[in-house]
């Protein structure tokens, strides 16, 4: 086909060019190519415009604070002194707690649903989990305020302080006043929010692992668990990691649910029970009343910092995936 | 029959045409959220009485209101704090402040075993929010509350996490009664670097945290406390009396200050003198350009201001906003002529 097209072009360039193009158009390939290209370029354009806007509008803050913006612990609108350190810390800590809880929980559920549960049960539960993923975050925030916060204050907090709190080194994570709101509470609420993502995507990925992989493992004498853990899960590893990074992205950017349970105090404290604040929650709560130019500019720079964090973590994720693929030698 | 219908239709069409020619005057405004309920009531009632004037108000926050006004995207703005000299000097045109209603801020608390109203001295409130007073049975709190069994418990301080006019009034008061506050935290501002405490989003967030956390104290708008039956404490005024906030006390505070109100109305009225005044209250302002090119718009805004100062004030108490005192209304009525 392409060979004939080239011959025609060679014979009569001026007229045949468009005609050949039209012929290819009729096949639909060119149109599909063009349309998808436009949309893909649109995404890149959108992202670069976003970064450009953040960069330009944070000019005042960048000029004044420079790199110190990342390390300054003060956020003082009254004396025009702004630093992102407590918010970066809060964002990373709450997201780490969320993943530490959500990954084992989500992965175990996904394995159960795809490998062990009867197909009908699995389908019904998966449907419910997909529903959970669509619940607005303010609902999770309310759940946090009315259920998680009181339980943290009256039961879990004191329990942690009295047990783990006494162990040297690790104990520092669970000391000090316990208000019920703080890093740990925010992390738990985030974990509840992101777990449906991990379960839903991981289950789909696990279900796509070919039957022969399982059968081959069993033929070699593996038990059902051995075949699941040593063959099926590694086979689906890239997809499972994808689900984890999707969850991380949601945890990093969450505003409403976090701002309702984190205590909104820009502090860097070793104790996970201490109140803190995150980048997204600060932008959401302070943007409307930010009167000074430098204040507004600093809030926009916070947005830029969040973008940077997401960018770096995504990059690390890619490297991790490539590295594990090499080590394991399994196909993606 | 058909003919008469035709005539009616023709008449209707003509009158509609006439209406379209006279035109509706559309005024755009944006700003503070605190007075939004009363503003939307005013704009609605005013529109019913003057069908040709429609005022479209967006409660995007004081900061947003000031920015939109400076950018010239709205006809007038609204703010819970007066514009600073700095902001006014940035403006390409002169901006006038018009106080509209009064708001007050009250302390609310949740202490195990204490059900009555607590008295707060000025020093106690400043000390609690500075973090220098940390226990409920501190001598500064106890001396104003004899007979109340205050527990030996740590005070959990709650403040607003979002920028807010409520915080502006609260920090304005604390700065006036405490030198240390002024030095450490600074001037009144919609958000500050809090020395201690947890942040709650909105009045409802602060109330929720205070209700849930034993031994907590927070500050909320008087309106919000009244509408939701939230108990609150008395605050000591400059004369040394403990006053429970109510609308009359807030108007009294403004009246006590009326003589000292500068011509541009940019004034803080926290902690005024007077035996019965409630000390933590403030005006909220409309920000209006002194020069309005469009004569039709100018007359509409001036007429609305006149209406707001007379008829409009009657709607305040129904929505639990304090009325402006007579003295201030008289001054503002004169100031309307400055709009040209």
């Amino acid at each position: 086909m392409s060979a004939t097209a080239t011959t025609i072009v060679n014979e009569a360039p001026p007229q045949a060019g468009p005609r050949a193009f039209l012929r290819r158009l009729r096949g639909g390939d060119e149109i599909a190519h063009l349309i998808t290209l436009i949309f893909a370029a649109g995404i890149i354009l959108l992202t670069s415009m976003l970064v450009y806007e953040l960069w330009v509008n944070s000019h005042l803050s960048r000029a004044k604070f420079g790199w110190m913006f990342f390390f300054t612990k003060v956020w003082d609108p009254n004396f025009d002194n702004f630093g992102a350190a407590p918010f970066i810390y809060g964002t990373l800590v709450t997201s780490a707690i969320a993943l530490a809880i959500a990954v084992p929980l989500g992965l175990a559920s996904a394995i159960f649903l795809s490998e062990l549960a009867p197909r009908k049960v699995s389908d019904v539960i998966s449907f419910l989990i997909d529903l959970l993923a669509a619940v607005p975050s303010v609902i999770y925030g309310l759940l946090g305020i009315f259920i998680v916060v009181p339980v943290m204050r009256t039961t879990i907090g004191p329990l942690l302080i009295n047990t783990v709190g006494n162990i040297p080194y690790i104990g520092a994570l669970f000391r000090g006043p316990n208000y019920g709101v703080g890093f740990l509470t925010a992390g738990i609420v985030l974990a509840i929010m992101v777990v449906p993502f991990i379960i839903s995507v991981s289950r789909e990925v696990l279900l796509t692992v070919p039957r022969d992989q399982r059968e081959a493992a069993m033929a070699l004498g593996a038990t059902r668990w051995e075949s699941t853990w040593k063959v099926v899960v590694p086979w689906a590893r890239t997809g499972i990691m994808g689900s984890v990074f999707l969850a991380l992205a949601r945890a990093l950017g969450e505003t409403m649910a976090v701002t309702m349970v984190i205590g909104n105090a820009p502090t860097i404290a070793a104790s996970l029970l201490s109140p803190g604040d995150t980048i997204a929650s600060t932008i959401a709560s302070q943007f409307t009343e930010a009167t000074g130019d430098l204040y507004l500019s600093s809030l926009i720079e916070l947005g830029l910092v969040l973008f940077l964090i997401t960018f770096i973590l995504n990059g690390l994720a890619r490297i991790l995936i490539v590295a594990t693929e090499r080590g394991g030698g399994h196909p993606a | 029959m058909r003919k008469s219908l035709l005539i009616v239709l023709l008449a209707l069409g003509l009158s509609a045409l006439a209406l379209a020619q006279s035109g509706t005057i559309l005024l755009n405004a944006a700003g503070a959220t605190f007075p939004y309920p009363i503003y939307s009531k005013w704009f609605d009632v005013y529109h019913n009485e003057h069908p040709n004037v429609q005022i479209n108000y967006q409660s995007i926050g004081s900061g947003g209101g000031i920015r939109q006004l400076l950018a010239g995207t709205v006809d007038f703005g609204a703010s819970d704090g007066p514009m600073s000299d700095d902001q006014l000097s940035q403006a390409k045109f002169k901006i006038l402040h018009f106080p509209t209603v009064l708001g007050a801020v009250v302390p609310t608390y949740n202490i195990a075993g204490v059900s009555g109203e607590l008295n707060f001295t000025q020093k106690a409130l400043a000390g609690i929010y500075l973090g220098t007073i940390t226990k409920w049975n501190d001598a500064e709190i106890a001396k104003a509350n004899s007979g109340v069994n205050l527990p030996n418990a740590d005070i959990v301080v709650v403040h607003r996490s979002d920028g807010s006019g409520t915080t502006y009034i609260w920090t304005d008061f604390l700065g006036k009664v405490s030198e240390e506050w002024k030095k450490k935290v600074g001037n009144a501002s919609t958000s500050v670097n809090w020395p201690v405490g947890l942040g709650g989003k909105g009045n409802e967030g602060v109330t929720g945290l205070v209700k849930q956390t034993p031994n907590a104290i927070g500050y909320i708008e008087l309106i919000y406390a009244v509408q939701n039956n939230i108990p609150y404490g008395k605050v000591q005024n400059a004369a040394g009396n403990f006053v429970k906030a109510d609308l009359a006390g807030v108007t009294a505070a403004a009246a006590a200050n009326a003589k000292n109100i500068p011509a541009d109305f940019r004034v803080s009225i926290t902690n005024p003198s007077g035996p019965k005044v409630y000390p933590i209250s403030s005006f909220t302002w409309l920000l209006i350009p002194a020069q309005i090119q469009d004569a039709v718009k100018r007359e509409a805004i001036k007429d609305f201001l006149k209406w707001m100062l007379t008829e409009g004030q009657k709607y305040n108490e129904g929505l639990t906003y304090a009325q402006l005192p007579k003295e201030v209304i008289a001054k503002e009525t004169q100031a309307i002529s400055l709009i040209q």
Side-chain angles (χ1 to χ4, degrees), chain A residues 1-21 23:
Chain A
M1 182 66 190
S2 65
T4 39
T6 357
T7 0
I8 294 167
V9 170
N10 285 345
E11 277 169 8
Q15 290 104 7
R19 207 180 294 161
F21 179 71
R23 198 181 300 156

Side-chain angles (χ1 to χ4, degrees), chain B residues 5 10 23 38 68 82 88 100 126 171 241 292 318 331:
Chain B
L5 194 72
L10 203 70
I38 183 76
Q68 301 263 354
L88 284 177
T100 52
T171 52
N241 298 327
I292 302 172
K331 270 194 167 184

Side-chain angles (χ1 to χ4, degrees), chain A:
Chain A
M1 182 66 190
S2 65
T4 39
T6 357
T7 0
I8 294 167
V9 170
N10 285 345
E11 277 169 8
Q15 290 104 7
R19 207 180 294 161
F21 179 71
L22 275 179
R23 198 181 300 156
R24 274 188 294 168
L25 263 190
R26 221 174 298 141
D29 272 6
E30 290 299 311
I31 294 180
H33 183 87
L34 206 68
I35 290 177
T36 49
L37 177 75
I38 288 171
F39 284 140
I43 296 285
I44 294 170
L45 192 72
L46 207 65
T47 315
S48 25
M49 264 160 53
L50 188 71
V51 175
Y52 174 78
E53 279 295 316
L54 288 173
W55 180 260
V56 168
N57 288 315
S58 64
H59 167 75
L60 273 180
S61 163
R62 281 186 293 109
K64 173 148 189 206
F65 303 117
W67 289 104
M68 282 314 291
F69 189 73
F70 287 89
F71 307 109
T72 309
K73 286 188 213 160
V74 184
W75 186 263
D76 193 336
N78 230 348
F79 290 107
D80 266 350
N81 189 13
F82 300 99
F87 308 113
I88 296 174
Y89 178 79
T91 305
L92 293 177
V93 167
T94 49
S95 298
I97 297 171
L99 286 192
I101 299 170
V103 169
L105 211 64
L107 188 56
S109 311
I111 290 174
F112 173 78
L113 290 177
S114 72
E115 303 297 311
L116 307 172
R119 191 60 195 249
K120 269 190 186 162
V121 176
S122 168
D123 282 348
V124 171
I125 295 181
S126 306
F127 175 70
L128 293 177
I129 286 168
D130 287 347
L131 278 186
L132 275 185
V135 171
S137 62
V138 66
I139 306 288
Y140 284 105
L142 287 175
L143 180 92
I145 284 191
F146 291 119
I147 298 170
V148 185
V149 172
V151 170
M152 287 297 296
R153 190 179 57 247
T154 54
T155 321
I156 300 180
L159 186 79
L160 286 170
I161 292 172
N162 292 330
T163 54
V164 194
N166 295 324
I167 303 170
Y169 303 113
I170 309 172
L173 292 177
F174 304 102
R175 275 186 203 145
N178 169 36
Y179 303 114
V181 292
F183 293 119
L184 187 58
T185 314
I188 291 173
V189 171
L190 281 176
I192 300 171
M193 288 180 65
V194 301
V195 111
F197 284 83
I198 299 184
I199 301 178
S200 182
V201 178
S202 297
R203 172 181 171 268
E204 294 301 324
V205 176
L206 287 170
L207 284 176
T208 60
V209 176
R211 233 188 135 67
D212 352 345
Q213 294 285 332
R214 295 182 177 88
E215 284 168 359
M218 292 204 182
L220 289 172
T223 62
R224 189 159 187 188
W225 174 247
E226 281 171 338
S227 95
T228 302
W229 189 245
K230 294 193 173 154
V231 177
V232 177
V233 172
W235 213 92
R237 195 169 42 199
T238 313
I240 291 171
M241 281 195 177
S243 79
V244 172
F245 293 122
L246 195 66
L248 176 66
R250 178 146 199 215
L252 285 173
E254 179 49 44
T255 35
M256 213 47 218
V258 170
T259 204
M260 288 163 90
V261 298
I262 198 168
N264 302 301
T267 42
I268 298 182
S271 175
L272 298 181
L273 302 173
S274 147
D277 212 343
T278 69
I279 295 178
S281 117
T282 305
I283 297 175
S285 45
Q286 302 196 0
F287 199 76
T288 48
E289 292 284 335
T291 34
D293 287 338
L294 187 66
Y295 188 9
L296 190 71
S297 173
S298 299
L299 280 172
I300 291 170
E301 189 173 354
L302 269 189
L304 192 66
V305 170
L306 184 60
F307 197 93
L308 194 72
I309 291 177
T310 321
F311 191 76
I312 291 173
L313 288 179
N314 260 317
L316 288 178
R318 296 276 147 169
I319 294 171
L320 194 69
I321 288 173
V322 170
T324 47
E325 265 169 19
R326 263 186 214 143
H330 293 283

